[in-house]
Amino acid sequence: MTVLSIIRDCLDALLHPSARYDALTRARHRAFMAPRLLGSLAAFAAFPVYLAMRGAPSAVEVAAFAWLIAPIMLSWFLSRTGRYEGAHVLSSLALAGLIMAVAVTTGGIESFAAVWLVVVPLEAALSASRRVAAFASLLALSCAGMLILVSQLGWLPVEESGAAQRGVLMAFGVASATLYAAGLAFGAESLARTSVSLLSREEERYRLLARNMSDVISRHQRNGAVQFISPAAEVMLGMPVAQLLAHGLFDRVHVADRPAYLTALSDAARGDVRSVEFRLRREPVGSERNQVDFIWVEMRCRPLEQDPGRDATREAEVVGVMRDITDRKLSEQTLDQARSAAEAADAAKTRFLATMSHELRTPLNAIIGFSEMIAQEQTLMLGPAQRKEYAQLINDSGLHLLSVVNGILDMSKMESGNFEIASEPFAPRASLMHCCNLLALKARENGIDLITDAPQDLPVMTGDPRAFKQIVLNLVANAIKFTERGGQVSVTAAVTGSQLTLRISDTGIGIAPDDLKRIGAPFFQCGKTYQRRHEGTGLGLSIVKSLVALHLGEMTVQSRLGEGTAVTVKLPLVYTPPQVKPAESKIATLTPVLRQELHNELHNEPHDDLQDQPAPVKKSA
């Protein structure tokens, strides 16, 4: 342990408690007390030696030694009260009093001690207080004025010293004042160095916080211009901080969110605390796609200064703290979509119950009624022809019920991903002609022309022949069902590249634009459930849509209300089963991929949803 550290520990023990917790205040108190205590102790030690060599001292010499000992009282005052400015005021009064006492007895304003009046405001400058410096300056000027006045009035005692002695005293006064001023200068330099060191340490501490915080701290003008932004912005946005200054950050705010962004900053500049959520464009990292990447951020804004007495003409500034909330937004929007999906499922259940109550009750009533009539044939005296007719009606009703149940089961398998494609080679033309022949009688009964155009050289394709027939039967039956008498239904087949293209068009009633977007949803039917003119469960087109997707095909529709509908189905000639499980496949259309759709929406990517394509065709049987 060195002598300086021992002296510093002793001085720290004398400090007032209010000065022990701030490094700069502690340094100022230490700088005030150390020279005064050391000077006073040196004066105490030198006074006996001076008496032995000089003899009896004069009044001036006693006053000088008294002033050298007085700083002990000033140090005691500062140690007990902690009033740094008050201690400097007392020090200035003590120094000015000593100078006046010496100057009055040694020539007034012409005294060697008068030059020390310059030191009074210099010493007060160490207080870092304008009030103390102004007081010391006025005190020095007042003392100089009093010395001039006393000299002019002739109130000074007669000076007996010669010119040589006065010269020596003047030299001593100038030299001592210079040395004291030099000491004050070194003290001021030491305090300035301490202040700079503390400031640099504080800046490093705040710089460390700014660099390691995940949140971005920014300083804005009222118009949104950025004056400072923390380095965390480089991680968040993937670009240098220098490019975000001024209006660089504003240029990266999503156009739709800019009004809310500027409004929040303007409100915060007026003294309010605001929070705003907006999107920021981020530089994509390691992405080969030329796409726009946006993230959601939340920014809390508050005024930089809340002093009510500040200059009203001064432009207000705002401090903002931003954090990335993209994950939270994804979760919120996923929940919203899940809620929408649940509401849609509830609506589908309602439609399903309404449809099934009609589709199941009608054939069941026929089965029960005609079976009761056959059971009472002796009472009703039914003939063989009537029994055969009733049995046929019961059979037709049962087949209708079976088709309804099979449709529901198929739909359930497809939604759960358990529907399996039994792939095998088959001739698509033979299957197509067979389906059209089955429906030809129904078309004739409805007064509709059914035209089939299938080239003889259609190649053999690989796929599920049962699913292919189901696709054709549902689409052609729909076209016949919704075409008025005298209309026409056309079925064409052709090979386009590696795909088989089926086109079923009609001159029927068409589909309204609002309904066109929802065609293909399970149990959906155009119009109101209780105002339908045609039978059907609403599952036919949903099954077609799923079967086409499971074959990795495409289905589109064009329709105008009152002009007809055209459905185009493209199936690969060679079906290759996907390597992923059905539940993980993006081809499945019945289970919405909420997270992928949300990602596309947030990044302005085109949706891969069938609603954005030509919608699946009309209602199914």
Side-chain angles (χ1 to χ4, degrees), residues 345-506:
D346 184 68
K349 180 190 70 173
T350 303
R351 292 195 304 269
F352 169 74
L353 293 176
T355 302
M356 288 302 102
S357 65
H358 177 79
E359 293 296 327
L360 297 179
R361 185 181 302 168
T362 300
L364 282 175
N365 287 338
I367 292 173
I368 294 172
F370 289 114
S371 62
E372 288 180 351
M373 295 177 68
I374 293 177
Q376 301 176 12
E377 60 177 343
Q378 294 181 354
T379 304
L380 299 175
M381 301 179 64
L382 299 178
Q386 290 177 314
R387 287 197 302 273
K388 182 179 180 180
E389 179 184 359
Y390 294 163
Q392 184 62 44
L393 291 174
I394 292 173
N395 181 263
D396 293 341
S397 300
L399 292 176
H400 177 70
L401 285 176
L402 180 61
S403 67
V404 171
V405 173
N406 285 336
I408 296 175
L409 293 177
D410 288 343
M411 194 74 253
S412 176
K413 288 181 180 180
M414 293 174 188
E415 285 188 324
S416 62
N418 295 323
F419 192 92
E420 296 181 0
I421 298 295
S423 180
E424 61 181 67
F426 69 96
R429 185 180 187 280
S431 298
L432 180 64
M433 298 304 296
H434 177 69
C435 294
C436 290
N437 291 334
L438 289 177
L439 296 171
L441 178 59
K442 184 178 180 180
R444 285 196 299 270
E445 292 176 350
N446 292 348
I448 298 170
D449 293 334
L450 179 58
I451 302 173
T452 305
D453 182 10
Q456 295 286 342
D457 58 348
L458 282 180
V460 175
M461 65 182 297
T462 302
D464 191 332
R466 187 179 70 88
F468 180 82
K469 290 180 179 179
Q470 194 168 2
I471 291 172
V472 176
L473 286 173
N474 277 308
L475 293 179
V476 176
N478 264 6
I480 294 174
K481 180 191 298 185
F482 294 102
T483 301
E484 301 293 340
R485 183 173 294 275
Q488 177 179 299
V489 175
S490 299
V491 181
T492 60
V495 175
T496 305
S498 61
Q499 292 181 321
L500 175 68
T501 302
L502 298 177
R503 182 179 176 83
I504 296 92
S505 59
D506 61 65

Side-chain angles (χ1 to χ4, degrees), residues 36 106 127 146 181 208 213 244 366 379 414 438 517 581:
R36 287 166 175 79
T106 57
S127 67
M146 291 175 62
L208 178 65
M213 285 182 62
L244 299 174
T379 304
M414 293 174 188
L438 289 177
K517 298 177 181 179
K581 298 180 180 180

Side-chain angles (χ1 to χ4, degrees), residues 33-64:
M33 297 173 63
R36 287 166 175 79
L37 290 176
L38 292 177
S40 297
L41 292 176
F44 267 119
F47 188 64
V49 177
Y50 182 83
L51 290 178
M53 296 177 61
R54 173 72 175 176
S58 64
V60 175
E61 293 172 340
V62 171

Side-chain angles (χ1 to χ4, degrees), residues 187-204:
E189 186 274 337
S190 176
L191 288 177
R193 188 170 59 250
T194 302
S195 178
V196 171
S197 176
L198 293 174
L199 181 61
S200 177
R201 196 178 307 166
E202 288 296 320
E203 288 181 351
E204 184 62 29

Side-chain angles (χ1 to χ4, degrees), residues 216 218-220 224-253 261 280-281 283 322:
V216 177
S218 55
R219 180 176 177 178
H220 305 256
V226 178
Q227 295 180 307
F228 165 81
I229 190 166
S230 63
E234 295 184 0
V235 179
M236 179 182 291
L237 299 178
M239 63 182 307
V241 169
Q243 298 182 19
L244 299 174
L245 297 177
H247 293 285
L249 180 64
F250 174 78
D251 293 338
R252 308 190 73 80
V253 178
Y261 170 78
L280 276 177
R281 187 173 74 254
E283 293 294 334
M322 293 182 291

Side-chain angles (χ1 to χ4, degrees), residues 77-413:
F77 172 79
L78 180 61
S79 176
R80 298 295 294 176
T81 63
R83 297 171 60 181
Y84 184 67
E85 293 183 4
H88 267 283
V89 169
L90 293 177
S91 178
S92 298
L93 290 173
L95 180 59
L98 174 65
I99 294 171
M100 288 294 292
V102 174
V104 166
T105 59
T106 57
I109 194 63
E110 298 178 355
S111 171
F112 71 94
V115 71
W116 274 75
L117 291 176
V118 179
V119 179
V120 175
L122 293 179
E123 184 185 55
L126 294 179
S127 67
S129 171
R130 291 184 178 180
R131 293 181 299 177
V132 175
F135 171 79
S137 300
L138 292 176
L139 179 63
L141 291 175
S142 300
C143 292
M146 291 175 62
L147 290 176
I148 295 173
L149 180 62
V150 170
S151 299
Q152 293 296 325
L153 294 177
W155 293 353
L156 295 175
V158 178
E159 188 177 4
E160 299 178 354
S161 60
Q165 187 178 5
R166 286 199 303 271
V168 172
L169 292 175
M170 183 62 66
F172 171 76
V174 172
S176 60
T178 302
L179 290 176
Y180 192 80
L184 294 177
F186 281 110
E189 186 274 337
S190 176
L191 288 177
R193 188 170 59 250
T194 302
S195 178
V196 171
S197 176
L198 293 174
L199 181 61
S200 177
R201 196 178 307 166
E202 288 296 320
E203 288 181 351
E204 184 62 29
R205 183 180 296 115
Y206 288 120
R207 192 177 296 112
L208 178 65
L209 291 175
R211 287 177 178 175
N212 293 276
M213 285 182 62
S214 58
D215 293 349
V216 177
I217 302 175
S218 55
R219 180 176 177 178
H220 305 256
Q221 294 180 354
R222 186 169 185 172
N223 61 356
V226 178
Q227 295 180 307
F228 165 81
I229 190 166
S230 63
E234 295 184 0
V235 179
M236 179 182 291
L237 299 178
M239 63 182 307
V241 169
Q243 298 182 19
L244 299 174
L245 297 177
H247 293 285
L249 180 64
F250 174 78
D251 293 338
R252 308 190 73 80
V253 178
H254 195 281
V255 176
D257 298 333
R258 290 179 181 179
Y261 170 78
L262 293 177
T263 300
L265 290 176
S266 179
D267 292 343
R270 289 195 293 267
D272 299 330
V273 178
R274 287 288 182 265
S275 178
V276 61
E277 296 177 358
F278 55 91
R279 287 162 289 182
L280 276 177
R281 187 173 74 254
R282 178 176 56 187
E283 293 294 334
V285 179
S287 177
E288 298 179 355
R289 296 178 298 175
N290 186 17
Q291 64 177 11
V292 179
D293 189 10
F294 282 90
I295 61 171
W296 277 97
V297 298
E298 178 187 30
M299 182 172 71
R300 292 187 61 84
C301 309
R302 64 178 62 249
L304 180 62
E305 297 179 0
Q306 295 184 348
D307 183 10
R310 66 185 179 185
D311 187 3
T313 61
R314 182 181 176 185
E315 185 177 2
E317 294 181 352
V318 175
V319 173
V321 179
M322 293 182 291
R323 63 178 52 186
D324 188 345
I325 58 168
T326 303
D327 292 338
R328 193 188 79 189
K329 278 291 184 179
L330 286 171
S331 300
E332 291 177 356
Q333 297 188 22
T334 300
L335 290 175
D336 291 341
Q337 290 197 1
R339 187 182 301 108
S340 299
E343 293 174 354
D346 184 68
K349 180 190 70 173
T350 303
R351 292 195 304 269
F352 169 74
L353 293 176
T355 302
M356 288 302 102
S357 65
H358 177 79
E359 293 296 327
L360 297 179
R361 185 181 302 168
T362 300
L364 282 175
N365 287 338
I367 292 173
I368 294 172
F370 289 114
S371 62
E372 288 180 351
M373 295 177 68
I374 293 177
Q376 301 176 12
E377 60 177 343
Q378 294 181 354
T379 304
L380 299 175
M381 301 179 64
L382 299 178
Q386 290 177 314
R387 287 197 302 273
K388 182 179 180 180
E389 179 184 359
Y390 294 163
Q392 184 62 44
L393 291 174
I394 292 173
N395 181 263
D396 293 341
S397 300
L399 292 176
H400 177 70
L401 285 176
L402 180 61
S403 67
V404 171
V405 173
N406 285 336
I408 296 175
L409 293 177
D410 288 343
M411 194 74 253
S412 176
K413 288 181 180 180

